[in-house]
Amino acid sequence: MHERLAETRELAYTTVMTVLDRLAKKKLTERERDGKAWRYKAAAPREELAADLMRDALDRAGDRREALVRFVGQVSDEEAALLRDALARLEARDG
């Protein structure tokens, strides 16, 4: 991981390991022993993390309805179509 990051930025090895350790404690990464070292991987797919972040933002918004209305007002036509499709799939699944 450090080698990959070092290709774009100059970071100390200990800095990378500290961040990865903190991410593991927050359950955002998983780690397993590989000899004397740790091997890290994402704990969940990127899409799941994005959904969790959106849900957390709604929880902190106060007025969930207003937050959703403002969000939807900012999406592109393509994103609005994706939202409509997602809602239709959920209704079909639950219906």
Side-chain angles (χ1 to χ4, degrees):
M1 175 70 76
H2 180 256
E3 289 174 12
R4 296 279 308 266
L5 290 171
E7 293 173 5
T8 58
R9 286 184 121 159
E10 189 174 322
L11 293 170
Y13 176 81
T14 53
T15 301
V16 173
M17 294 311 299
T18 298
V19 170
L20 287 170
D21 183 59
R22 289 179 181 168
L23 291 172
K25 286 178 182 173
K26 292 179 181 183
K27 307 251 188 265
L28 295 172
T29 61
E30 296 175 351
R31 67 181 181 180
E32 62 182 43
R33 276 284 185 194
D34 186 10
K36 293 182 180 181
W38 289 104
R39 184 175 299 274
Y40 290 85
K41 67 178 183 176
R46 188 178 304 195
E47 296 81 5
E48 186 175 327
L49 177 59
D52 289 344
L53 290 170
M54 288 187 278
R55 192 173 40 254
D56 288 345
L58 278 176
D59 289 344
R60 290 189 307 273
D63 185 343
R64 294 174 75 93
R65 182 184 185 285
E66 183 61 26
L68 284 167
V69 167
R70 288 178 184 244
F71 172 74
V72 171
Q74 296 175 12
V75 300
S76 69
D77 290 342
E78 181 181 341
E79 291 164 335
L82 291 170
L83 286 170
R84 282 191 292 278
D85 179 58
L87 289 170
R89 285 190 299 155
L90 289 173
E91 288 175 0
R93 182 189 74 184
D94 296 339

